[in-house]
Amino acid sequence: MSSSLFPTTTTALTSKPTIKFINTPFIPQRAINTRTNRTHGFRVSCNVAPDDDHNHNKPILPNIDRRNLLLGLGGLYTTANLTSLPPAALADPITTPDITSICKEADSGIKDLEKAVRTRKCCPPNIKKTIKPFVFPNEKTVRMRWRAHNGSKEQVEKYKKAIQAMRDLPDDHPHSFIQQAKIHCAYCNGGYTQVDSGFPDIDIQIHNSWLFFPYHRWYLYFYERILGKLINDPTFALPYWNWDNPAGMTIPDIFLEEKEKSKSNPLFDIYRDARHLPPKLVDLDFGGGERDTTNEIQIACNLSTVYRDLVRNGADTKSFFGGEYVAGDAPVANGDKSVGSVEAGCHIAVHRWVGDSTQANFEDMGNLYSSGYDPLFYAHHSNVDRMWKLWKDLGIPGHTEPTDPDWLNASYVFYDENQDLVRVYNKDCIKMDALKYNYYEESKSVFPWRKSRPAKRSKNSQATSNSTEDVKTTEQLKFPVTLDGVLKVRVKRSAVNRTDEEKAKANEILLINGIKFDGEKYVKFDVFVNDKLKEGEVPTPCDPEYAGGFAQIPHTGMKKMLMSSAARFGLAELLEDTNTEGEEYAVVTLVPRIGCEDLTISDIKIELVPI
Ligand code: C2O
């Protein structure tokens, strides 16, 4: 178990918690993981909703009265209730509670609340089901997800028919288009708390950590099966928006408005940025501003960005998946909970690029509370999920899923295609073949981005004088620093000129830790390392000096608006390609792009991370 399990900011825990169990008349055998020395009180007097379907939008916590709690603290537990407990109660993974009885509305304001175009009442309907364990599908066929820009007539027709059927369901049906959209909002905007782990005051957040990939995989898994069921097709598969391929870099046509005004396309959504419709190419490094460039350069930069997210910055499990996030961790935590390379990279860029910039909250795709209302969201995430598979298939040492039990046993609750409530674990989504879906690839061996490592800088294009001595070192800088302007700092490396053998054993990673920002804002800053370009030349995202960006779109409704994250950037290739491998210090430049006026950073360092 890791030492960062218990951030002191919220819980001030000093010792490993003891685990006690209690019974309550309403929630039999619920485990209460009581932690010692907790500084915030247990919320013990919340109401349990009586049998009232309309109550599912109110905050509901288990009815644990103080007497029971005290009994619990006294150590009342038996082997009988121990065996029937959800396994998660014995450890510390994030455990989603029963989503139908314990859910609250996104509970704080969207910046422009009156202008929000979607509801924040995101709790799922309660149709009186009890949570079942997940069972792998036993079907023989594999659902082949297809390229959205190149679907067959049949694939496209089925897809439209299924989405239309979803839209035609009554709003309170667990499979309705709106309920499916709300799933994302509830998991992102504070719908659920960590009550099952003993932290009723701490929300669950499925972004910014190692939950990002598995959570969204499960979400799409059920979404796809529900659509298939609606049209009675067990082979139904979602499309993926192939933005990592030059042929797929515009919004796929199938999602656009019908040309004939009398027809309507169920895949169309009105809340998209009108400037970004085809033939405009997506900018996978979008930072709020329009890039004035040619298609050729945009394509090259996009491919480099994918390469950067998967290879250079996704060099190890943590860099790719994001940092650990376990019971007791709040969105505001001490320090180094990091966001994964794809999540903070291509993923966020596409969200914001698609979202309607004329809306106050950038609905739908530009804000996490509303993203699920755009059918394009699911095609985007299908490709994000595919990035996980491709990353693993690269077969590079270090490209493996987390093995920490706190990751493996983290769980979510969804309505499946039969309207049953099921609990699913990260560990069960690793094997795509068991989940019976896969991605169609045009060619198994050629991915355009695979060869898009940014070109090595020629020494001639670099300035010869190396006048960085006046740049402060991290020791001289006073942390935390506010990123209200460009920040340049020298960061000491722990080793230079490592041999290939040494490089194979550990990755050299630049860590930007303790990034604190307003969770209701769109923020982005870029990170450049050892930029030695001559006066007047500015490196671009296609250049080797560009380490990558850190971006977030609003998580509106977070109880505390302050969020904390960290970012990791792989340095090995960057240093080689900028001819700076032999230098003792790396000169790191952080360039704020948007929303960074009050963003602070608590630490910048370079570490060797064993593979
Ligand atoms: Cu849950 Cu793309 O976000």
Side-chain angles (χ1 to χ4, degrees):
M1 211 88 15
S2 55
S3 56
S4 65
L5 272 175
F6 314 118
T8 50
T9 40
T10 52
T11 47
L13 289 163
T14 54
S15 61
K16 177 83 186 143
T18 53
I19 300 166
K20 317 270 181 181
F21 303 105
I22 60 168
N23 287 329
T24 76
F26 289 89
I27 303 171
Q29 287 146 8
R30 171 170 297 285
I32 302 296
N33 182 352
T34 59
R35 305 219 166 196
T36 48
N37 299 331
R38 296 183 39 175
T39 52
H40 63 275
F42 230 121
R43 209 190 295 170
V44 292
S45 61
C46 298
N47 300 322
V48 160
D51 289 348
D52 175 0
D53 261 352
H54 302 289
N55 252 328
H56 64 251
N57 284 332
K58 300 225 182 81
I60 298 165
L61 287 167
N63 186 349
I64 301 161
D65 82 15
R66 194 167 292 278
R67 242 180 1 221
N68 283 338
L69 184 63
L70 293 175
L71 277 175
L73 290 169
L76 179 84
Y77 89 71
T78 64
T79 15
N81 59 22
L82 183 66
T83 48
S84 57
L85 283 164
L90 300 169
D92 303 287
I94 294 291
T95 300
T96 301
D98 181 341
I99 57 171
T100 59
S101 60
I102 303 175
C103 181
K104 53 196 174 59
E105 289 171 28
D107 54 358
S108 88
I110 294 175
K111 272 239 149 43
D112 275 298
L113 190 51
E114 323 74 56
K115 298 193 190 127
V117 301
R118 304 294 185 188
T119 178
R120 287 178 307 132
K121 295 182 179 171
C122 298
C123 293
N126 186 350
I127 54 169
K128 307 277 155 50
K129 295 279 176 103
T130 48
I131 302 175
K132 291 185 177 172
F134 173 71
V135 181
F136 282 100
N138 60 9
E139 57 216 28
K140 298 261 163 345
T141 46
V142 171
R143 296 161 193 264
M144 268 294 171
R145 296 190 183 165
W146 43 284
R147 295 172 299 163
H149 67 278
N150 205 15
S152 69
K153 193 158 175 268
E154 195 195 347
Q155 282 168 323
V156 174
E157 269 167 16
K158 279 184 180 173
Y159 182 41
K160 288 189 176 176
K161 195 172 153 207
I163 296 284
Q164 189 58 56
M166 195 174 242
R167 288 190 188 270
D168 291 343
L169 289 171
D171 283 355
D172 60 355
H173 191 290
H175 295 167
S176 75
F177 185 81
I178 285 177
Q179 294 300 340
Q180 289 297 305
K182 286 179 174 184
I183 292 173
H184 193 248
C185 163
Y187 271 98
C188 172
N189 295 74
Y192 310 125
T193 69
Q194 301 174 21
V195 61
D196 277 18
S197 316
F199 296 98
D201 298 330
I202 306 181
D203 288 343
I204 288 178
Q205 173 55 258
I206 39 77
H207 298 102
N208 282 314
S209 78
W210 66 7
L211 295 192
F212 173 75
F213 276 113
Y215 167 79
H216 290 85
R217 174 166 285 185
W218 278 122
Y219 183 13
L220 291 194
Y221 171 83
F222 291 113
Y223 181 76
E224 180 173 66
R225 298 181 72 85
I226 289 167
L227 287 169
K229 179 119 184 176
L230 283 167
I231 57 165
N232 227 331
D233 179 357
T235 67
F236 175 84
L238 286 170
Y240 63 88
W241 179 3
N242 195 189
W243 38 247
D244 56 311
N245 178 346
M249 286 182 185
T250 59
I251 293 180
D253 285 348
I254 58 170
F255 292 97
L256 304 177
E257 197 168 14
E258 290 286 352
K259 295 206 177 64
E260 266 172 69
K261 287 282 176 254
S262 59
K263 289 198 200 152
S264 76
N265 179 2
L267 308 180
F268 174 66
D269 179 39
I270 51 166
Y271 296 114
R272 292 183 189 145
D273 196 321
R275 298 168 305 171
H276 295 159
L277 301 177
K280 184 85 176 170
L281 299 181
V282 68
D283 178 0
L284 294 181
D285 192 63
F286 187 64
E290 296 303 301
R291 207 183 288 283
D292 182 21
T293 189
T294 63
N295 281 353
E296 206 185 345
I297 293 176
Q298 186 64 65
I299 289 171
C301 286
N302 283 345
L303 295 177
S304 294
T305 302
V306 176
Y307 179 88
R308 190 179 288 113
D309 286 355
L310 266 71
V311 182
R312 219 164 80 172
N313 290 337
D316 56 73
T317 307
K318 188 168 178 176
S319 297
F320 183 75
F321 276 85
E324 56 186 44
Y325 170 54
V326 296
D329 283 343
V332 184
N334 270 345
D336 67 347
K337 259 201 306 164
S338 59
V339 58
S341 54
V342 171
E343 182 182 357
C346 305
H347 161 253
I348 289 293
V350 172
H351 267 280
R352 197 57 168 198
W353 186 82
V354 174
D356 184 350
S357 55
T358 66
Q359 297 300 321
N361 299 294
F362 287 74
E363 289 94 347
D364 281 318
M365 279 280 276
N367 199 310
L368 292 176
Y369 97 100
S370 54
S371 287
Y373 287 87
D374 190 339
L376 195 47
F377 168 83
Y378 306 88
H380 172 42
H381 267 277
S382 195
N383 205 38
V384 169
D385 183 67
R386 178 172 157 266
M387 292 299 128
W388 173 2
K389 176 185 152 60
L390 299 186
W391 175 81
K392 201 171 158 184
D393 287 352
L394 286 170
I396 299 174
H399 285 213
T400 50
E401 281 95 6
T403 51
D404 189 322
D406 289 338
W407 185 81
L408 296 169
N409 295 315
S411 67
Y412 325 97
V413 177
F414 287 94
Y415 276 113
D416 72 3
E417 66 274 23
N418 303 313
Q419 297 186 62
D420 280 331
L421 270 187
V422 291
R423 178 174 299 282
V424 291
Y425 293 87
N426 283 353
K427 60 179 176 231
D428 287 334
C429 75
I430 299 170
K431 286 207 190 87
M432 278 171 43
D433 32 326
L435 297 179
K436 299 280 191 247
Y437 80 94
N438 211 327
Y439 292 97
Y440 168 82
E441 302 293 347
E442 190 176 20
S443 145
K444 290 266 180 294
S445 54
V446 183
F447 296 105
W449 50 265
R450 189 69 187 89
K451 297 209 174 72
S452 295
R453 174 171 170 173
K456 191 174 164 77
R457 188 61 74 192
S458 82
K459 288 199 174 127
N460 297 338
S461 65
Q462 294 178 307
T464 39
S465 83
N466 189 4
S467 57
T468 51
E469 251 101 82
D470 53 329
V471 176
K472 283 194 176 141
T473 64
T474 44
E475 286 83 46
Q476 292 161 340
L477 206 65
K478 251 189 93 204
F479 285 104
V481 285
T482 305
L483 201 59
D484 48 5
V486 173
L487 174 77
K488 223 182 209 335
V489 61
R490 281 194 296 154
V491 189
K492 182 122 164 80
R493 296 170 59 200
S494 37
V496 293
N497 291 325
R498 294 188 302 145
T499 63
D500 285 348
E501 205 182 314
E502 286 166 332
K503 284 183 185 170
K505 287 200 190 119
N507 289 318
E508 187 170 359
I509 308 274
L510 168 67
L511 305 168
I512 315 277
N513 282 341
I515 308 169
K516 294 205 168 51
F517 55 95
D518 180 345
E520 292 197 335
K521 263 195 187 167
Y522 175 32
V523 303
K524 183 168 194 276
F525 64 83
D526 289 342
V527 181
F528 295 90
V529 176
N530 293 341
D531 161 19
K532 291 166 176 282
L533 294 185
K534 293 180 178 156
E535 272 291 304
E537 282 187 59
V538 187
T540 72
C542 323
D543 292 323
E545 294 82 7
Y546 184 55
F550 173 86
Q552 293 276 332
I553 56 174
H555 298 64
T556 50
M558 296 311 304
K559 214 184 291 174
K560 301 176 192 80
M561 290 186 308
L562 190 67
M563 291 196 63
S564 173
S565 188
R568 299 159 69 88
F569 303 97
L571 290 181
E573 291 186 359
L574 185 153
L575 298 171
E576 261 174 49
D577 296 344
T578 54
N579 309 305
T580 53
E581 170 54 51
E583 296 179 8
E584 192 188 351
Y585 283 88
V587 179
V588 174
T589 311
L590 304 188
V591 182
R593 293 289 181 212
I594 192 161
C596 296
E597 307 74 30
D598 43 14
L599 179 148
T600 61
I601 289 163
S602 71
D603 189 23
I604 300 176
K605 60 185 173 190
I606 293 174
E607 264 177 16
L608 291 178
V609 178
I611 295 169

